[in-house]
PDB file of all heavy atoms in Angstrom:
ATOM      1  N   ALA R1490      75.706 118.230  44.754  1.00 93.00           N
ATOM      2  CA  ALA R1490      74.667 119.177  45.170  1.00 93.00           C
ATOM      3  C   ALA R1490      73.795 119.598  43.988  1.00 93.00           C
ATOM      4  O   ALA R1490      72.585 119.756  44.125  1.00 93.00           O
ATOM      5  CB  ALA R1490      75.298 120.403  45.833  1.00 93.00           C
ATOM      6  N   GLU R1491      74.417 119.769  42.815  1.00 92.00           N
ATOM      7  CA  GLU R1491      73.637 120.154  41.628  1.00 92.00           C
ATOM      8  C   GLU R1491      72.641 119.074  41.230  1.00 92.00           C
ATOM      9  O   GLU R1491      71.641 119.367  40.583  1.00 92.00           O
ATOM     10  CB  GLU R1491      74.572 120.481  40.460  1.00 92.00           C
ATOM     11  CG  GLU R1491      75.267 121.811  40.627  1.00 92.00           C
ATOM     12  CD  GLU R1491      76.231 122.113  39.501  1.00 92.00           C
ATOM     13  OE1 GLU R1491      76.626 121.195  38.761  1.00 92.00           O
ATOM     14  OE2 GLU R1491      76.604 123.288  39.370  1.00 92.00           O
ATOM     15  N   ASP R1492      72.895 117.841  41.621  1.00 93.00           N
ATOM     16  CA  ASP R1492      71.994 116.745  41.279  1.00 93.00           C
ATOM     17  C   ASP R1492      70.877 116.548  42.310  1.00 93.00           C
ATOM     18  O   ASP R1492      70.002 115.707  42.116  1.00 93.00           O
ATOM     19  CB  ASP R1492      72.782 115.439  41.107  1.00 93.00           C
ATOM     20  CG  ASP R1492      73.614 115.450  39.831  1.00 93.00           C
ATOM     21  OD1 ASP R1492      73.247 116.164  38.884  1.00 93.00           O
ATOM     22  OD2 ASP R1492      74.639 114.744  39.807  1.00 93.00           O
ATOM     23  N   LEU R1493      70.906 117.306  43.396  1.00 93.00           N
ATOM     24  CA  LEU R1493      69.839 117.210  44.396  1.00 93.00           C
ATOM     25  C   LEU R1493      68.558 117.853  43.857  1.00 93.00           C
ATOM     26  O   LEU R1493      68.625 118.779  43.036  1.00 93.00           O
ATOM     27  CB  LEU R1493      70.257 117.925  45.686  1.00 93.00           C
ATOM     28  CG  LEU R1493      71.400 117.310  46.470  1.00 93.00           C
ATOM     29  CD1 LEU R1493      71.832 118.243  47.608  1.00 93.00           C
ATOM     30  CD2 LEU R1493      70.997 115.952  47.021  1.00 93.00           C
ATOM     31  N   PRO R1494      67.399 117.407  44.313  1.00 93.00           N
ATOM     32  CA  PRO R1494      66.134 118.031  43.873  1.00 93.00           C
ATOM     33  C   PRO R1494      65.898 119.350  44.614  1.00 93.00           C
ATOM     34  O   PRO R1494      64.986 119.491  45.423  1.00 93.00           O
ATOM     35  CB  PRO R1494      65.089 116.975  44.243  1.00 93.00           C
ATOM     36  CG  PRO R1494      65.673 116.271  45.420  1.00 93.00           C
ATOM     37  CD  PRO R1494      67.172 116.257  45.184  1.00 93.00           C
ATOM     38  N   LEU R1495      66.754 120.318  44.327  1.00 91.00           N
ATOM     39  CA  LEU R1495      66.751 121.596  45.027  1.00 91.00           C
ATOM     40  C   LEU R1495      66.736 122.711  43.988  1.00 91.00           C
ATOM     41  O   LEU R1495      67.765 123.000  43.366  1.00 91.00           O
ATOM     42  CB  LEU R1495      68.002 121.689  45.915  1.00 91.00           C
ATOM     43  CG  LEU R1495      68.154 122.898  46.801  1.00 91.00           C
ATOM     44  CD1 LEU R1495      66.987 123.035  47.766  1.00 91.00           C
ATOM     45  CD2 LEU R1495      69.466 122.810  47.579  1.00 91.00           C
ATOM     46  N   TYR R1496      65.576 123.306  43.793  1.00 85.00           N
ATOM     47  CA  TYR R1496      65.393 124.293  42.741  1.00 85.00           C
ATOM     48  C   TYR R1496      65.070 125.656  43.331  1.00 85.00           C
ATOM     49  O   TYR R1496      64.256 125.750  44.251  1.00 85.00           O
ATOM     50  CB  TYR R1496      64.260 123.860  41.807  1.00 85.00           C
ATOM     51  CG  TYR R1496      64.472 122.473  41.276  1.00 85.00           C
ATOM     52  CD1 TYR R1496      63.788 121.399  41.834  1.00 85.00           C
ATOM     53  CD2 TYR R1496      65.370 122.228  40.260  1.00 85.00           C
ATOM     54  CE1 TYR R1496      63.990 120.111  41.363  1.00 85.00           C
ATOM     55  CE2 TYR R1496      65.589 120.943  39.787  1.00 85.00           C
ATOM     56  CZ  TYR R1496      64.895 119.888  40.348  1.00 85.00           C
ATOM     57  OH  TYR R1496      65.107 118.618  39.874  1.00 85.00           O
ATOM     58  N   PRO R1497      65.693 126.725  42.798  1.00 81.00           N
ATOM     59  CA  PRO R1497      65.366 128.066  43.293  1.00 81.00           C
ATOM     60  C   PRO R1497      63.892 128.379  43.080  1.00 81.00           C
ATOM     61  O   PRO R1497      63.311 127.987  42.074  1.00 81.00           O
ATOM     62  CB  PRO R1497      66.236 128.989  42.433  1.00 81.00           C
ATOM     63  CG  PRO R1497      67.320 128.123  41.903  1.00 81.00           C
ATOM     64  CD  PRO R1497      66.715 126.758  41.755  1.00 81.00           C
ATOM     65  N   TRP R1498      63.301 129.081  44.005  1.00 80.00           N
ATOM     66  CA  TRP R1498      61.909 129.499  43.872  1.00 80.00           C
ATOM     67  C   TRP R1498      61.790 130.816  43.129  1.00 80.00           C
ATOM     68  O   TRP R1498      60.712 131.196  42.701  1.00 80.00           O
ATOM     69  CB  TRP R1498      61.278 129.638  45.247  1.00 80.00           C
ATOM     70  CG  TRP R1498      60.963 128.319  45.890  1.00 80.00           C
ATOM     71  CD1 TRP R1498      61.297 127.078  45.446  1.00 80.00           C
ATOM     72  CD2 TRP R1498      60.242 128.114  47.091  1.00 80.00           C
ATOM     73  NE1 TRP R1498      60.836 126.121  46.303  1.00 80.00           N
ATOM     74  CE2 TRP R1498      60.179 126.727  47.334  1.00 80.00           C
ATOM     75  CE3 TRP R1498      59.652 128.966  48.010  1.00 80.00           C
ATOM     76  CZ2 TRP R1498      59.540 126.187  48.431  1.00 80.00           C
ATOM     77  CZ3 TRP R1498      59.020 128.415  49.107  1.00 80.00           C
ATOM     78  CH2 TRP R1498      58.964 127.040  49.308  1.00 80.00           C
ATOM     79  N   LEU R1499      62.892 131.516  43.002  1.00 77.00           N
ATOM     80  CA  LEU R1499      62.878 132.796  42.307  1.00 77.00           C
ATOM     81  C   LEU R1499      63.446 132.604  40.907  1.00 77.00           C
ATOM     82  O   LEU R1499      64.124 131.627  40.625  1.00 77.00           O
ATOM     83  CB  LEU R1499      63.687 133.831  43.099  1.00 77.00           C
ATOM     84  CG  LEU R1499      63.184 134.050  44.533  1.00 77.00           C
ATOM     85  CD1 LEU R1499      64.132 134.960  45.297  1.00 77.00           C
ATOM     86  CD2 LEU R1499      61.779 134.608  44.530  1.00 77.00           C
ATOM     87  N   ALA R1500      63.191 133.561  40.042  1.00 71.00           N
ATOM     88  CA  ALA R1500      63.518 133.413  38.624  1.00 71.00           C
ATOM     89  C   ALA R1500      64.974 133.694  38.287  1.00 71.00           C
ATOM     90  O   ALA R1500      65.310 133.809  37.130  1.00 71.00           O
ATOM     91  CB  ALA R1500      62.613 134.327  37.795  1.00 71.00           C
TER      92      ALA R1500
END
Side-chain angles (χ1 to χ4, degrees):
E1491 286 178 342
D1492 288 334
L1493 293 172
L1495 184 59
Y1496 306 101
W1498 285 7
L1499 302 173

